[in-house]
Amino acid sequence: MSTERSTDAATRVVVSYPADLSDWGRRQVDRSSFRAFLRRTRETAREGDVWEEFVGVGCCGNSLDVPLRVEGVVGGSVIDADTEFDFEVREACGIEGSWRVQSAGGPSRARDPSRSDRPTQSGR
C-alpha cells in the first residue's frame, strides 16, 4: 500500500459560512467531527462550490442547512483523509433560525415577534 498522496488531492480547503450563523452553529462547524464529516461526504472541492450542510440540532431544535462556500483550494480538487479545512466568515445571507425552526410556525415566523399567531415553545 502506497503512502504517497495523490497529486490531485487538496491539501487545504478554505470554506466560508455566513456572518449570521449563530454562535452555536459556528461551534458545530468548528468541531473536528464536522471536518471529518466533510472529508467523508465530499469528494471534490472547487472555488465557488456551495454546499448546503446540516450542522446539527441544538437543545431547542434550531436546525437549518447552512450554505458553506468554498473560497479556495490548495493543491488538487480531490478531498481525502488528509485534507485540512479552514473556515472563515463571509457576508450575512439571511439565515432564519430560532427555536421555532422545527415548529409549525417555521423559520419565517421567527423573525416577527409582533405576530399573534406565533407558536409556543412546544411548537403548537
Side-chain angles (χ1 to χ4, degrees), residues 17-22 52 64-67 90-98 101 107-108 110-111:
Y17 54 79
D20 49 350
L21 181 61
S22 69
E52 294 283 334
L64 287 174
D65 287 345
V66 175
R90 68 170 187 277
E91 71 281 353
C93 70
I95 287 180
E96 296 179 343
S98 75
V101 167
S108 62
R111 281 200 276 147

Side-chain angles (χ1 to χ4, degrees), residues 4 30 41 44 52 62 73 83 85 90-91 94 104 107 115:
E4 286 187 37
D30 198 39
T41 60
T44 61
E52 294 283 334
N62 60 342
V73 179
T83 300
F85 286 93
R90 68 170 187 277
E91 71 281 353
R115 292 185 71 134

Side-chain angles (χ1 to χ4, degrees), residues 10 13 32 36 53 55 57 59 86-87 94 98 100-101 109-111 118 120-121:
V13 178
S32 61
E53 294 296 346
V55 298
V57 177
C59 65
D86 290 331
F87 292 94
S98 75
R100 286 186 222 120
V101 167
R109 290 191 181 175
R111 281 200 276 147
R118 290 184 306 168
T120 65
Q121 285 187 346

Side-chain angles (χ1 to χ4, degrees), residues 11-89:
T11 56
R12 187 167 77 94
V13 178
V14 179
V15 179
S16 67
Y17 54 79
D20 49 350
L21 181 61
S22 69
D23 289 342
W24 179 86
R26 292 175 189 219
R27 284 192 303 272
Q28 303 315 303
V29 169
D30 198 39
R31 297 176 73 166
S32 61
S33 59
F34 189 75
R35 288 175 167 83
F37 166 78
L38 291 177
R39 285 186 204 98
R40 286 190 314 271
T41 60
R42 295 293 168 177
E43 295 179 6
T44 61
R46 291 179 179 79
E47 189 172 329
D49 286 352
V50 176
W51 305 330
E52 294 283 334
E53 294 296 346
F54 174 77
V55 298
V57 177
C59 65
C60 298
N62 60 342
S63 64
L64 287 174
D65 287 345
V66 175
L68 302 176
R69 184 172 62 209
V70 177
E71 301 294 343
V73 179
V74 176
S77 63
V78 176
I79 296 173
D80 68 10
D82 296 320
T83 300
E84 295 178 16
F85 286 93
D86 290 331
F87 292 94
E88 59 184 39
V89 180

